[in-house]
Amino acid sequence: VLSASVQRKFPQEIKIELIERTPYARIKFEKIFLVDNFGVILSEEKPEHRHLPLIKSPKGIKPENFSGEKVIQSLKTMHYFNKLSFFENNPLDIAELKGNSRIIFFTRNRDLQIQMSLEALTEGFKKFMIVLDTLEDDNLKIQRIDLSFKDQVVVRDRISSHSTLKIQTN
């Protein structure tokens, strides 16, 4: 229950209002759980919610030690990325938390990864917009974009894993 209220109306009426928490995403520990848009764990995953984005928590984190703040920030960032036409046919649908400071987003086809710093998600999104402006139409060859560095972006090409492009963002 997200909220509940009880109101007495004279002469003989009581109005009860319940607002239920709704699943917003899934989070994977040893099992997969549903979380709401506040990061509160609701229940174990149900088949009808498999379409929701998946967050993979760092190894060793248990549901009882879970703080939803980073998950909600990650989901919001994923949402903003998916609004871009770049992701129209291949949206981000998995976010993997790496330790306390990094996150890696994966597209539905698993052909593109975007790595970011959890402490600088807004700045990372701005850097991604710069990368989009510098890329040519042949963007399907990109395997990984690392936005976690302070003043540069590293773009790794899928064709040659040794081929990288560094873009200064300062």
Side-chain angles (χ1 to χ4, degrees), residues 72-87:
I72 296 307
Q73 291 173 340
S74 303
L75 288 169
K76 286 180 183 177
T77 303
M78 183 188 289
H79 175 75
Y80 291 129
F81 275 125
N82 285 336
K83 284 186 166 193
L84 300 172
S85 61
F86 182 85
F87 294 104

Side-chain angles (χ1 to χ4, degrees), residues 27-104:
I27 185 159
K28 183 177 182 178
F29 298 102
E30 290 177 13
K31 296 180 181 178
I32 298 177
F33 293 90
L34 297 172
V35 294
D36 71 359
N37 60 336
F38 294 100
V40 174
I41 296 175
L42 303 177
S43 66
E44 284 191 31
E45 177 188 39
K46 296 177 177 134
E48 63 267 24
H49 296 107
R50 291 220 169 102
H51 67 283
L52 294 174
L54 178 67
I55 304 290
K56 293 182 178 181
S57 70
K59 293 187 191 295
I61 300 290
K62 305 267 187 234
E64 54 272 8
N65 299 335
F66 169 71
S67 169
E69 184 180 332
K70 289 181 181 177
V71 168
I72 296 307
Q73 291 173 340
S74 303
L75 288 169
K76 286 180 183 177
T77 303
M78 183 188 289
H79 175 75
Y80 291 129
F81 275 125
N82 285 336
K83 284 186 166 193
L84 300 172
S85 61
F86 182 85
F87 294 104
E88 187 174 12
N89 297 320
N90 190 17
L92 299 173
D93 69 346
I94 291 181
E96 185 174 345
L97 298 170
K98 292 289 192 180
N100 291 323
S101 63
R102 292 189 187 244
I103 186 163
I104 302 174

Side-chain angles (χ1 to χ4, degrees), residues 3 21 23 132 137 167-168:
S3 69
R21 291 183 182 273
L132 279 184
D137 291 334
I167 301 169
Q168 295 296 320

Side-chain angles (χ1 to χ4, degrees), residues 9-170:
K9 291 188 170 193
F10 287 99
Q12 297 178 339
E13 189 178 331
I14 296 177
K15 181 181 177 184
I16 300 172
E17 185 177 349
L18 295 174
I19 299 174
E20 191 176 357
R21 291 183 182 273
T22 56
Y24 185 72
R26 301 170 300 143
I27 185 159
K28 183 177 182 178
F29 298 102
E30 290 177 13
K31 296 180 181 178
I32 298 177
F33 293 90
L34 297 172
V35 294
D36 71 359
N37 60 336
F38 294 100
V40 174
I41 296 175
L42 303 177
S43 66
E44 284 191 31
E45 177 188 39
K46 296 177 177 134
E48 63 267 24
H49 296 107
R50 291 220 169 102
H51 67 283
L52 294 174
L54 178 67
I55 304 290
K56 293 182 178 181
S57 70
K59 293 187 191 295
I61 300 290
K62 305 267 187 234
E64 54 272 8
N65 299 335
F66 169 71
S67 169
E69 184 180 332
K70 289 181 181 177
V71 168
I72 296 307
Q73 291 173 340
S74 303
L75 288 169
K76 286 180 183 177
T77 303
M78 183 188 289
H79 175 75
Y80 291 129
F81 275 125
N82 285 336
K83 284 186 166 193
L84 300 172
S85 61
F86 182 85
F87 294 104
E88 187 174 12
N89 297 320
N90 190 17
L92 299 173
D93 69 346
I94 291 181
E96 185 174 345
L97 298 170
K98 292 289 192 180
N100 291 323
S101 63
R102 292 189 187 244
I103 186 163
I104 302 174
F105 295 105
F106 297 87
T107 56
R108 181 186 302 144
N109 295 343
R110 308 296 176 256
D111 56 352
L112 175 63
Q113 300 174 16
I114 299 174
Q115 183 167 312
M116 299 177 76
S117 167
L118 283 169
E119 284 77 34
L121 290 171
T122 303
E123 292 80 9
F125 187 80
K126 290 176 186 175
K127 287 186 221 175
F128 183 78
M129 298 306 290
I130 293 169
V131 169
L132 279 184
D133 286 343
T134 61
L135 290 176
E136 297 177 15
D137 291 334
D138 196 14
N139 57 28
L140 299 175
K141 295 179 185 172
I142 298 169
Q143 177 184 26
R144 175 178 263 202
I145 300 173
D146 191 340
L147 306 166
S148 61
F149 297 104
K150 183 174 170 123
D151 291 325
Q152 71 178 1
V153 174
V154 177
V155 178
R156 178 155 286 173
D157 177 308
R158 192 177 333 141
I159 294 171
S160 169
S161 62
H162 301 295
S163 174
T164 58
L165 169 67
K166 292 185 180 181
I167 301 169
Q168 295 296 320
T169 59
N170 55 349

